[in-house]
Amino acid sequence: MFKNHPYWCLLAISFALAVLAHGAFLYQWTQGQYMTGINDGLSQMMPFKHLLYEQYTNGEFFYSFDFGLGAGTFSELAYYFSTSIVFLITIPFVWLLDIAGIVQEPDVLFWANAAVFISVIRMTFVLFITSRVFMYMKIPYWPAWIGASVYGISGMFFRHTVYWEFFADSFLWLPLLILGIEKIFREQKPGWFLMAVSISFFDNFYFAYINFLLSAIYILFRLFIPLSSAENNKKKKLLTFMGAGIIGFSIGAVAFIPAVYAYLNNHRPPFQQEIPIFDPFDNILYTSRYIILPALFVLFLFMFRFYGNKTFRLFALLGIAGIVMHLSPFVSSVFNGFSAPQYRWEYFISFAAGGAIATGLTMLTKISRRNFFIATGLTGFIYLIYALLDPALEFDWMETGLVLGGLLLTIAAVWTAFHFNKSGTLIIVGPVLLAWLIAYANFYQSEKIMEMGNVDQVSKELITGEDYDNPEIRGLLKQIHERENDEMYRIEWMQGVRNNTPIVQDFQGLSAYSSILNKNLLYFYLYDMEIDMQRESVSRYATLGNRANLFSLVRGKYIIRSADDSNIPYGFKELLESENYKVYENGNVLPFARGATEFYSEDKLSMHPPLVREHAMLNGIVLNTEEEGSPIQVTGDITSKFTIEEKEASYDDGILEVTGETGGIDLVWEDPAEGQGDLYVSFNLVNTAEDEGFNLTVNDYVTSRKSNQSVYKTYVDDLTIRVPYQDRVEIRVPEGRYFLTEIQLFEEDYETLEREADENAGLKELEIDGSRVEILYDNIADDDYLSAVIPYEMGWSATVNGVDVEVLKANYAFVGVPIEAGENHIIFTYRPPFFVPSLILTVLSLFFAMFWLFRKKRADSE
């Protein structure tokens, strides 16, 4: 059937193997459970696919106001899927199925359903491409395919796919890069390398970085291990690598440059924990979460006669180097951009192991009895050492038994082939290895991912239920949308700790979760306004700390709370009710665009507390300027009117010693003024415990703080908590020792907010179309500036009455423009940072690459 189509034959058997390798997940799919992680999988991967699919199929490629408070999705989601080639190829197929009525609307549930099938197809091509690479390196057909299976059917492939799906795409691009490297070394042909570099830079900047570090290691080894007679002029080859690399980078620049800008414009506190050079025990023979070395690879490493074959020597030494690097957290930090150690590059070890096994299988007929027994003895010794030195290793019939059973079967198969049927070595050893790979892959899916990672809980019932996409909340959202005619209004609602709930439930919210976010928004939350998010964590923003001024400024018009939650921001009135939830509406919401005459210096305001900064934004506009600005009025400071009472704790000179199960201090106002409003209590709080997270309670407001050892700790310890107006503020923390300093209290009567809400707005028309915002503003007050609730980032341009104007950073994290007296027609347009010049660079580089390759091909043929 496949006699005249060897490529299709290879593709077919690769597909069959991929199906078998996904056996556990395919079975789970028939049971209504899906191949996606319960945490980042459902909180990021599936929502981002849903968001980008909707954007792209609607013709919007650059910006979305549905992602948090608004974000440039092309650049900020380039770490995920916005430029992922696999995802971009998937979109038209899904779109055709959608318009044909074969699938329902591609929502989060659809993408969760599709995950296992996309993974099978991805693995098919990983096996196919890697087999072809090994075959190009003069490894025969079947050994090459078996070696490719070692690479493709690895635990890390499934780990990447389930938890962070776009990570798995790197399995496709590494073999292409290796093929490109080999083409230059063997034939001085840069085309494949240039293409692989272009794809990598376009697809994902993070894994481009990882894969190019891995490629550099491969090139370094290849410089000292020539595999063909045409590898003499090393300088010329290095120049070819450099030239092809630069051109490839330039072709991928249209995606890479905006993505890197977004990465640099992100904010994440630096990793402050010590990173050891060497940490010997992640047990890569028995229990590692990242990679388990096949017994055949370990056995082959001790077949010293094999090292006479240069191809085997290359892959074996690469594998050994990879194992040594895996034992170093510092190396894993380097691969993660010198941040917290992350073990995401180890698929390179599987690639090297696959190459070594593929080459070794071709030489098994040449080993002697002595070679076999020495290799078997040393392999057994290594397995024994790893078992004895790992204090956490426990014998388990499934995990340890599968590893040791694989070891014994491998030795038995090699012995049988060697002793009884040397001509049938591949037929005996190959199936044993494949059977073990399939068995371990399905065990890994069942035990390491489904059970240990709680992935077996990801089902239709979860995704459509009250813990993820609550139908009761959907009903309330529908009622809100039906009564609204505003172009832009925001709703505060988040399911548990899933900050991307607004994407899942299709409303414009006040929260976002992504590894890359707009730095200006993160600074707004963490430093400028000191907004407590009720859960300390990096890469997120959420809620507005029940602070009514902030709700009104960013058009937070509605909040949804559980029916028993009475801690409602000032000015919100109950609007709707369901069985378990209530909807409240903000009576003081401010316009999307507001004029201002008074401007305040951001730098001058930095010396004042958050409430003063809120008032500055209400009274005028805050600009990042060196000019003096309007005088700053500080009102509401009542710190001196409070006294401190200790509660199951001692407090002296900023040190709080809590002796009870919980304790702290009360701030007592002996003679409170009559009125309504809120109190803002600000302080700096540091837990001295080395590794202990805790809950902080201020009256009935509760927020969680990370352990000092957590990689998700923000190290932002200046807190401002809003509590309803009362004469006692109770600050409570668990037993322990804390530094509690810089305590201040302010009262807020909301006169400023209500005055601004009552003023007639000059906003006459507002039209938002993705990356284009059109405003008609009647400047009857003769204001100098206009601010809009559009997060500030590079990429926004603006015209006022047809004239280009500078987009100002206003109110810490939003945009502003100068305006004229009378009517102002304002258009904001977003394009990814450096998009136009990088697009020009990409197009020119494509033409140059074709010209360069054509000339090189012509010169080689003469």
Side-chain angles (χ1 to χ4, degrees):
M1 178 178 178
F2 298 108
K3 184 176 180 180
N4 297 320
H5 304 282
Y7 287 103
W8 288 110
C9 178
L10 182 60
L11 200 60
I13 61 174
S14 296
F15 175 74
L17 186 58
V19 169
L20 292 173
H22 284 80
F25 277 123
L26 287 167
Y27 173 76
Q28 290 300 110
W29 180 84
T30 66
Q31 305 303 303
Q33 297 172 341
Y34 307 128
M35 189 180 180
T36 188
I38 195 170
N39 296 316
D40 284 351
L42 287 183
S43 294
Q44 290 186 308
M45 308 305 140
M46 300 303 109
F48 290 158
K49 280 190 165 188
H50 170 52
L51 172 68
L52 290 169
Y53 177 83
E54 291 295 315
Q55 272 194 257
Y56 287 179
T57 54
N58 287 319
E60 174 56 58
F61 300 98
F62 302 127
Y63 199 87
S64 176
F65 281 97
D66 297 335
F67 181 25
L69 290 168
T73 50
F74 182 84
S75 52
E76 289 185 28
L77 293 183
Y79 178 66
Y80 298 92
F81 298 107
S82 67
T83 58
S84 164
I85 293 173
V86 171
F87 181 64
L88 294 176
I89 292 172
T90 304
I91 288 175
F93 286 99
V94 174
W95 180 75
L96 289 172
L97 294 174
D98 187 12
I99 62 174
I102 298 174
V103 300
Q104 295 180 349
E105 181 182 356
D107 54 9
V108 170
L109 180 62
F110 168 82
W111 290 108
N113 255 301
V116 67
F117 302 104
I118 294 172
S119 181
V120 168
I121 294 170
R122 182 191 287 110
M123 180 180 283
T124 298
F125 281 96
V126 169
L127 296 172
F128 176 82
I129 293 169
T130 309
S131 298
R132 294 300 303 170
V133 172
F134 288 156
M135 290 163 67
Y136 174 77
M137 298 178 72
K138 310 303 181 186
I139 300 173
Y141 189 99
W142 289 109
W145 182 68
I146 292 170
S149 303
V150 173
Y151 171 60
I153 310 176
S154 61
M156 180 159 281
F157 178 90
F158 295 103
R159 177 180 171 82
H160 278 3
T161 301
V162 172
Y163 297 133
W164 313 279
E165 184 184 338
F166 63 96
F167 281 11
D169 294 353
S170 59
F171 275 75
L172 290 163
W173 314 137
L174 179 64
L176 285 181
L177 285 165
I178 301 301
L179 176 61
I181 293 168
E182 288 296 328
K183 280 280 189 179
I184 290 177
F185 270 113
R186 295 167 186 264
E187 303 178 56
Q188 196 62 24
K189 292 182 177 180
W192 278 96
F193 184 72
L194 192 154
M195 182 188 72
V197 170
S198 303
I199 289 172
S200 296
F201 274 118
F202 184 93
D203 183 81
N204 187 285
F205 75 95
Y206 178 70
F207 273 96
Y209 168 74
I210 290 177
N211 275 345
F212 289 130
L213 286 179
L214 297 175
S215 297
I217 293 170
Y218 188 89
I219 290 171
L220 181 63
F221 274 74
R222 282 291 276 111
L223 288 171
F224 293 97
I225 307 176
L227 301 182
S228 69
S229 58
E231 301 182 26
N232 296 326
N233 195 336
K234 295 179 180 179
K235 182 179 179 180
K236 184 178 180 181
K237 297 186 188 305
L238 289 175
L239 289 174
T240 303
F241 281 123
M242 186 178 298
I246 292 171
I247 298 171
F249 161 78
S250 300
I251 293 174
V254 68
F256 183 80
I257 291 176
V260 170
Y261 170 80
Y263 169 75
L264 296 175
N265 192 51
N266 185 40
H267 169 68
R268 189 160 185 166
F271 186 70
Q272 298 185 10
Q273 300 172 32
E274 183 180 355
I275 301 175
I277 299 295
F278 185 70
D279 185 8
F281 260 97
D282 177 64
N283 199 325
I284 57 176
L285 293 184
Y286 290 96
T287 58
S288 174
R289 293 177 297 166
Y290 311 108
I291 182 171
I292 295 293
L293 297 178
L296 190 62
F297 173 61
V298 181
L299 184 69
F300 280 5
L301 287 181
F302 296 111
M303 296 280 190
F304 299 115
R305 186 170 181 175
F306 286 1
Y307 288 86
N309 182 299
K310 290 183 178 181
T311 303
F312 178 85
R313 188 191 313 163
L314 171 68
F315 284 120
L317 292 178
L318 284 170
I320 292 169
I323 293 168
V324 173
M325 290 192 300
H326 174 74
L327 300 177
S328 171
F330 176 76
V331 170
S332 293
S333 171
V334 171
F335 275 100
N336 196 37
F338 295 89
S339 184
Q342 292 287 0
Y343 298 86
R344 295 168 176 166
W345 60 271
E346 278 81 348
Y347 54 92
F348 180 72
I349 303 175
S350 294
F351 183 85
I357 287 173
T359 312
L361 285 172
T362 67
M363 298 186 291
L364 267 179
T365 58
K366 301 176 183 178
I367 63 170
S368 65
R369 189 184 300 268
R370 183 171 178 270
N371 295 149
F372 172 78
F373 284 117
I374 290 175
T376 300
L378 291 174
T379 299
F381 177 73
I382 290 295
Y383 272 83
L384 179 63
I385 290 296
Y386 263 79
L388 294 177
L389 295 183
D390 184 356
L393 180 65
E394 296 181 0
F395 185 83
D396 177 85
W397 284 108
M398 283 294 293
E399 184 172 20
T400 319
L402 190 59
V403 169
L404 293 177
L407 172 64
L408 294 176
L409 279 174
T410 297
I411 293 173
V414 173
W415 168 253
T416 301
F418 162 73
H419 194 70
F420 296 106
N421 187 8
K422 282 194 174 185
S423 62
T425 297
L426 189 62
I427 298 174
I428 297 172
V429 178
V432 170
L433 176 60
L434 289 174
W436 184 86
L437 288 172
I438 293 169
Y440 190 81
N442 282 279
F443 162 78
Y444 189 91
Q445 294 164 52
S446 298
E447 299 296 322
K448 297 278 189 176
I449 295 180
M450 291 181 195
E451 186 173 330
M452 294 175 61
N454 297 321
V455 174
D456 54 3
Q457 298 177 22
V458 180
S459 62
K460 181 178 181 180
E461 289 70 26
L462 171 64
I463 294 174
T464 59
E466 61 181 15
D467 293 328
Y468 187 75
D469 187 1
N470 193 333
E472 186 177 349
I473 297 294
R474 281 277 189 181
L476 292 172
L477 290 169
K478 182 179 179 181
Q479 293 181 65
I480 293 173
H481 296 328
E482 287 175 347
R483 70 184 304 276
E484 270 292 346
N485 55 16
D486 278 359
E487 182 72 30
M488 168 65 72
Y489 59 93
R490 295 201 173 272
I491 303 169
E492 185 192 77
W493 161 250
M494 197 173 78
Q495 178 61 58
V497 296
R498 297 192 188 276
N499 294 53
N500 289 323
T501 296
I503 298 174
V504 174
Q505 297 192 311
D506 299 305
F507 68 91
Q508 291 176 327
L510 293 163
S511 60
Y513 171 35
S514 171
S515 291
I516 295 178
L517 292 167
N518 184 342
K519 177 173 66 177
N520 299 300
L521 284 174
L522 292 174
Y523 271 63
F524 180 80
Y525 269 82
L526 295 172
Y527 305 108
D528 301 321
M529 294 297 113
E530 296 179 9
I531 302 168
D532 182 77
M533 306 181 207
Q534 293 191 284
R535 177 175 181 249
E536 181 186 17
S537 186
V538 298
S539 303
R540 301 170 186 261
Y541 61 80
T543 86
L544 291 168
N546 287 335
R547 288 156 64 173
N549 292 331
L550 297 179
F551 272 105
S552 296
L553 282 163
V554 302
R555 292 196 58 75
K557 196 169 184 179
Y558 302 95
I559 59 174
I560 301 176
R561 299 286 173 85
S562 61
D564 59 356
D565 186 351
S566 60
N567 193 353
I568 307 303
Y570 178 87
F572 280 75
K573 305 298 181 184
E574 184 178 332
L575 177 69
L576 301 169
E577 185 176 9
S578 64
E579 181 180 356
N580 298 296
Y581 298 95
K582 292 181 179 181
V583 177
Y584 299 86
E585 183 178 12
N586 186 359
N588 297 312
V589 67
L590 297 174
F592 180 84
R594 301 170 60 233
T597 300
E598 303 289 338
F599 82 89
Y600 302 90
S601 165
E602 187 177 311
D603 182 58
K604 298 294 183 183
L605 281 167
S606 65
M607 297 177 287
H608 296 279
L611 181 58
V612 175
R613 300 171 199 168
E614 289 182 11
H615 282 186
M617 292 188 289
L618 291 171
N619 287 320
I621 187 172
V622 178
L623 297 176
N624 185 19
T625 175
E626 295 181 0
E627 297 182 37
E628 188 70 23
S630 303
I632 298 170
Q633 296 182 352
V634 180
T635 59
D637 189 346
I638 54 172
T639 306
S640 61
K641 297 181 181 180
F642 278 75
T643 58
I644 295 176
E645 291 183 3
E646 300 165 340
K647 297 294 181 179
E648 295 195 60
S650 63
Y651 181 65
D652 182 46
D653 196 25
I655 298 176
L656 177 67
E657 296 272 3
V658 177
T659 53
E661 184 177 349
T662 60
I665 59 173
D666 287 358
L667 306 176
V668 183
W669 193 354
E670 298 292 348
D671 187 21
E674 293 184 3
Q676 60 179 356
D678 290 334
L679 295 179
Y680 283 41
V681 54
S682 297
F683 48 86
N684 182 281
L685 179 67
V686 177
N687 185 9
T688 63
E690 182 177 350
D691 187 11
E692 186 176 313
F694 66 99
N695 282 347
L696 163 69
T697 303
V698 181
N699 290 7
D700 61 349
Y701 184 87
V702 181
T703 183
S704 66
R705 307 294 295 169
K706 293 289 185 186
S707 154
N708 290 324
Q709 297 298 315
S710 173
V711 297
Y712 302 109
K713 185 172 177 60
T714 64
Y715 298 98
V716 177
D717 299 313
D718 288 322
L719 307 176
T720 295
I721 308 295
R722 165 267 182 194
V723 294
Y725 200 89
Q726 52 203 285
D727 59 2
R728 183 179 291 265
V729 177
E730 302 172 352
I731 301 174
R732 297 290 184 270
V733 289
E735 181 180 3
R737 189 171 188 265
Y738 305 82
F739 294 115
L740 177 60
T741 57
E742 302 174 26
I743 300 173
Q744 288 183 294
L745 280 105
F746 291 81
E747 61 176 337
E748 170 60 304
D749 57 17
Y750 293 109
E751 288 184 5
T752 303
L753 172 61
E754 290 177 338
R755 183 192 71 235
E756 291 298 316
D758 288 338
E759 287 189 358
N760 293 325
L763 180 63
K764 301 304 178 185
E765 294 181 17
L766 172 65
E767 183 178 343
I768 299 175
D769 184 13
S771 52
R772 188 177 189 272
V773 178
E774 190 169 354
I775 295 170
L776 184 62
Y777 187 84
D778 189 4
N779 187 10
I780 56 177
D782 199 19
D783 291 321
D784 297 318
Y785 300 97
L786 177 137
S787 63
V789 192
I790 302 172
Y792 177 85
E793 60 178 297
M794 182 182 287
W796 282 107
S797 61
T799 62
V800 177
N801 294 328
V803 178
D804 291 340
V805 297
E806 179 186 1
V807 177
L808 306 172
K809 179 186 174 188
N811 294 339
Y812 295 99
F814 301 94
V815 301
V817 290
I819 55 176
E820 305 168 353
E823 193 170 271
N824 288 258
H825 181 217
I826 304 158
I827 299 176
F828 290 97
T829 306
Y830 178 82
R831 290 294 178 267
F834 311 108
F835 180 75
V836 173
S838 60
L839 178 60
I840 293 171
L841 179 60
T842 291
V843 173
L844 292 177
S845 299
L846 275 170
F847 282 111
F848 181 79
M850 289 186 288
F851 173 75
W852 183 50
L853 293 175
F854 174 77
R855 284 200 60 181
K856 187 167 182 58
K857 183 177 181 181
R858 188 173 179 180
D860 291 343
S861 63
E862 291 178 353

